[in-house]
Amino acid sequence: ENGSDGVVLYITNNATWVVEHTTFQGNAGSAGALRLVTSLPGVLRDSTFTGNTGGCIGTFGAASFRVERCLFEGNSFEFSGAAAFISQSASVTFRDCDFIGNVSDAHGGAIQVHTGRLDIEDCRFVDNEAALFGGALAVNFEALSLGTPGSRIVGCRFHGNRAGEGGATSATGGQAGFEVASSNPLYIGCVFTGNTADRGGVLYANANSNPQLIHCSASGNSALLDGAVAYLDEAGSFPEPGETTLVVASSILVGNSASNGVGQYSQMF
């Protein structure tokens, strides 16, 4: 165990940074092996995170950085985002990374973004698991106004991920401080196969959330209850329920299954 909270590298204000060709393995704690409390830009590349039990990357501030060609495998976290927890207006780009077999006890088996923004390009998410929402990726409270551009997930593959709600990914809105926040993730050219959940084999979205699937394909996904591909839930927002919308365009949905519903009606709920 490294330090009182398990942090291996702690980067704070007034520091630009580069971490490359580094292995983070078997670190334990509660704040991530790499903790960023800075608004200055940085880059993490060609590095490996394996078997860490307090999460891998944690942001606490308006960080802006890139993560390129990294492997996150077999990490766990008792909270959310076993590979990365992105918060407090951070803006992060993940490019050509692999997320394999990461597990969280809450949201986002691999990544959770909470009041931040992501660009995820050409990444692979395989066999990740979350107890609650978003087996691979959970997008929470991105924006304080409906329709504000949200996270972009482009050319990614999601296979064999599991969660209670949203086997591959989730988008949730609701109360963020004194504001009602929305989540508006955009998935372009993504492939979803073999993901499972109680509801929403691929995607779960609740109030004030507006996900879009464009040029995506989904096959062999399943839900124990409803929504083999997507489950939309207008509950769960306060002070009053908000609208949940989903756009699916130029996409292929085939061979997905749910216990409730027949034929195409089983894919969306």
Side-chain angles (χ1 to χ4, degrees):
E1 183 166 335
N2 300 277
S4 61
D5 53 11
V7 176
V8 179
L9 291 179
Y10 189 107
I11 300 172
T12 187
N13 287 326
N14 303 317
T16 57
W17 57 278
V18 175
V19 176
E20 58 185 356
H21 303 293
T22 301
T23 297
F24 297 80
Q25 184 173 4
N27 300 291
S30 60
L34 173 60
R35 186 172 185 178
L36 303 169
V37 188
T38 177
S39 59
L40 296 181
V43 60
L44 168 66
R45 59 186 172 225
D46 301 310
S47 294
T48 299
F49 294 77
T50 59
N52 300 285
T53 58
C56 297
I57 301 172
T59 69
F60 299 87
S64 177
F65 61 95
R66 305 189 317 275
V67 182
E68 300 174 342
R69 301 181 300 277
C70 290
L71 169 65
F72 301 84
E73 184 170 10
N75 304 287
S76 61
F77 196 21
E78 63 180 329
F79 300 113
S80 298
F85 179 79
I86 309 302
S87 67
Q88 296 184 8
S89 301
S91 178
V92 184
T93 297
F94 290 90
R95 183 176 295 118
D96 193 20
C97 294
D98 290 280
F99 301 86
I100 303 171
N102 302 287
V103 179
S104 83
D105 290 346
H107 301 181
I111 301 174
Q112 183 189 26
V113 55
H114 184 92
T115 64
R117 188 183 184 280
L118 297 175
D119 281 288
I120 306 177
E121 303 171 3
D122 300 319
C123 292
R124 282 75 53 191
F125 296 84
V126 179
D127 293 338
N128 301 284
E129 184 172 357
L132 300 179
F133 298 100
L137 169 65
V139 180
N140 295 7
F141 308 141
E142 281 188 305
L144 295 181
S145 61
L146 297 179
T148 299
S151 294
R152 294 175 68 256
I153 302 93
V154 180
C156 293
R157 292 181 174 270
F158 297 80
H159 176 74
N161 302 286
R162 300 170 298 279
E165 316 282 351
T169 184
S170 63
T172 59
Q175 195 82 4
F178 294 102
E179 304 284 349
V180 175
S182 67
S183 291
N184 310 310
L186 173 63
Y187 304 84
I188 303 174
C190 293
V191 176
F192 301 90
T193 58
N195 302 286
T196 60
D198 292 341
R199 298 189 298 177
V202 170
L203 168 69
Y204 170 90
N206 80 354
N208 301 308
S209 298
N210 307 276
Q212 299 182 62
L213 302 175
I214 311 296
H215 296 297
C216 292
S217 67
S219 63
N221 303 284
S222 61
L224 180 63
L225 299 175
D226 300 299
V229 173
Y231 185 93
L232 307 184
D233 187 357
E234 292 198 358
S237 178
F238 53 91
E240 60 185 35
E243 184 177 22
T244 306
T245 63
L246 170 67
V247 173
V248 180
S250 303
S251 295
I252 298 173
L253 314 178
V254 61
N256 304 287
S257 62
S259 296
N260 296 335
V262 176
Q264 296 302 316
Y265 294 101
S266 71
Q267 299 203 61
M268 303 285 184
F269 188 93

